Amino acid sequence: MCGIVGYIGPRAAAPLLVEGLRNLEYRGYDSAGVALLDGGTLSVRKRVGRLSNLEDALATEPASGRLGIGHTRWATHGEPSEANSHPHLDSRNRIAVVHNGIIENYAELREELKARGHVFRSETDTEVIPRLIEEELRAAPGDFAEALRRAIGRLRGAFALGVITADAPEALFAVREGSPLIVGLGEGETFIASDVPAVLRHVRRAIYLRDGEMAEITPDRVRVRRLDGTEVRPDTQNVDLNPEAAERAGFETFMLKEIHEQPRVIRQLLKTYVGPDDRPRFESLGLSPDYFQILRRVMIVSCGTAYHAGIYGRLLFENLTGLAAEADLGSEFRYRGPRIEKDTLVIAVSQSGETADTLASVRLARRKKCKILSICNVRGSSLARESDAVLFTDAGPEIGVASTKAYTAQLTSFALLAIHVGLLREELDPARAAELIAGLRAVPDAIHYVLDRKEAIRAVADKHHSGPSSMYLGRKFNFPTALEGALKNKEISYQHAEGYAAGELKHGPIALINEYLPVVCVCTRTRDEVYEKTLSNLKEVEARHGRIIAVANDGDTTVAGLAEDTLYVPEVPEELSPIVNVVTLQLLAYYAAQARGTDIDKPRNLAKSVTVE
Ligand code: G6P
């Protein structure tokens, strides 16, 4: 999705803006631009395509100024083009605006402005904003912040804005209404950004603007007001991300680094959420033990990879806690007319905490008086703030667009949470709980085992990557693993991939099987009641000459005898096997993508954080 940065301070702004935009590249974009103010002179540079194109433009035609805003755009209204890229200007070229999100009533505003003589230069929803400000300023000249505030009052939708103007050349303006934006405080300089990594190198403290707030930033002051005009005390927090953590640490891509970070992330989660008595501890969640007794149902909402974690969560809650559980997609949940009441706990799962459909689901659940527990990776995110309780996955910044460590952290969080609730409700035998905790402690080493065998995974990927399509199968706990393996593959290698519940094979997808189709099947053993059934599914594929790639436990000669290639994983309890098995599929997709020569960290058309519905 789009990215915003802004700078005001003693240094030349252009390189800092470009650096900030580069740090936001992972969010996905198709064009970029900056606007700089040097006294009363406003300069704008925009380019379609990679940021290096914008850098070339700035090298050929430098833009000076110690105040500026920048933007990476991911097209929603209007194709990727220079005219549609941000910043957008008013008709006098004195106000520049960058915008994330969507202005829902832009069409009527555009008509109104056209009737007043405005000639639009782009097809975007954004361009109405500088022109509305211009109109407000014309109606009551002088106070720019006031004109901005009034103009915003006319907008409907979700947005974050960065604004500069030649009419107030000593100030940077920021507005947040439904889309994330922070004000980063450095030494004698101030930044704005849609995401902390943009400015991580330069700031140690940040103001996380709340919805309905605007900031007026001058070299010596940050003034925050609500959009109704009332002054508020800014909520300043330490930025605890370590800049090195956002670097690749020697790995060829962020995704590969993040895949390798998984054992560490899981160990950390266990350290945080398992007590000295070897039982999960969640006092910090703030949901009382009594609450879990009156609870009747759990409803999990999420999108993308986090949705697959939700399916896993549903299985665990049903198996370990005796509660009815459901998992749904954020984008579907909101429109299905969910019958939820206050005896339902809504669990929202999100890496970024900013996914529009997940947030909308949470707001709906809140209106229905449900409590909200979120499993989230970003402190200070909208989701974290809007939840009654948050289980932070603390996986560190995830830069690769395809989610990996956030996913296994979500699975681990679900495992801990379900064990906790199962014990509280006396539905889970404490001896079984202890086995599961011991199993969780073995997971990081099991993942290391998989990582150590990445060359074998690469060899299999090299052999099978070139076809047009692939199928992924799994059952029960590993049904979401199959879905996630297929999603990883299509996201980064662009090979079409279908994830299926293995039992569904004969209800349709079996028609696809021939001697060319790679069929990746998760068939790990343990005490798994579906192991034998999955073996039968594998035989169905074998009988039709499908090319089976099996994920199996070490030493499983039965599976190996059926498969063309077998990728081995260590045995862990059935319930926890998805946390290990998926790492094999992440690497399989990774090496397939590498063989197909794609841009792994920034796959085409994808955005890391989808802040529009
Ligand atoms: C986007 C990302 C996915 C992610 C999904 C949900 O589509 O590309 O990787 O799984 O959003 O994001 P969230 O931040 O809510 O987990």
Side-chain angles (χ1 to χ4, degrees), residues 5 14-24 51 197-199 201-202:
V5 285
L16 291 166
L17 295 176
V18 173
E19 179 198 317
L21 293 178
R22 191 163 297 297
N23 294 334
L24 292 177
L51 261 178
V199 295
R201 279 188 181 286
H202 309 288

Side-chain angles (χ1 to χ4, degrees), residues 88-272:
H88 289 284
L89 307 181
D90 68 328
S91 70
R92 310 160 307 148
N93 295 340
R94 292 183 67 79
I95 303 169
V97 173
V98 288
H99 162 221
N100 281 4
I102 286 181
I103 307 300
E104 282 164 7
N105 58 337
Y106 85 100
E108 60 193 74
L109 291 171
R110 203 172 154 106
E111 288 315 307
E112 176 191 320
L113 287 159
K114 273 188 189 164
R116 288 200 215 164
H118 285 266
V119 180
F120 283 83
R121 299 167 187 149
S122 77
E123 302 154 87
T124 63
D125 52 340
T126 306
E127 200 184 346
V128 299
I129 305 169
R131 288 162 186 274
L132 276 177
I133 308 172
E134 175 186 354
E135 286 296 325
E136 292 293 345
L137 209 53
R138 189 168 294 146
D143 190 341
F144 184 82
E146 206 34 48
L148 170 62
R149 196 177 70 76
R150 283 197 308 273
I152 293 159
R154 307 241 13 234
L155 305 176
R156 270 204 330 268
F159 47 88
L161 308 176
V163 183
I164 54 173
T165 174
D167 295 324
E170 288 287 295
L172 167 62
F173 298 89
V175 179
R176 173 183 167 138
E177 179 65 62
S179 249
L181 199 67
I182 62 137
V183 178
L185 308 172
E187 295 281 316
E189 56 187 6
T190 308
F191 293 79
I192 60 170
S194 48
D195 207 352
V196 177
V199 295
L200 203 54
R201 279 188 181 286
H202 309 288
V203 310
R204 281 295 155 268
R205 292 177 69 68
I207 299 167
Y208 289 82
L209 292 179
R210 286 171 285 236
D211 283 338
E213 285 182 355
M214 65 180 267
E216 181 178 351
I217 305 153
T218 48
D220 52 1
R221 183 171 177 212
V222 179
R223 180 178 176 202
V224 181
R225 274 185 287 176
R226 294 212 44 84
L227 291 174
D228 63 12
T230 49
E231 201 90 22
V232 289
R233 249 195 35 188
D235 170 16
T236 309
Q237 297 184 19
N238 287 330
V239 171
D240 50 9
L241 295 180
N242 165 1
E244 277 74 44
E247 300 291 338
R248 284 205 304 271
F251 286 95
E252 62 203 20
T253 59
F254 280 110
M255 183 174 173
L256 194 60
K257 170 178 173 252
E258 287 155 9
I259 289 174
H260 282 77
E261 283 175 330
Q262 295 178 107
R264 180 179 58 71
V265 169
I266 293 168
R267 272 194 198 105
Q268 185 55 47
L269 272 171
L270 297 178
K271 216 160 140 187
T272 312

Side-chain angles (χ1 to χ4, degrees), residues 303-306 349-353 355 358 401-403 410 491 607-608 610:
C303 303
T305 288
V349 192
S350 174
Q351 187 284 127
S352 62
T355 300
T358 307
V401 167
S403 183
Q410 288 159 357
E491 279 181 315
K608 180 73 185 159
V610 179

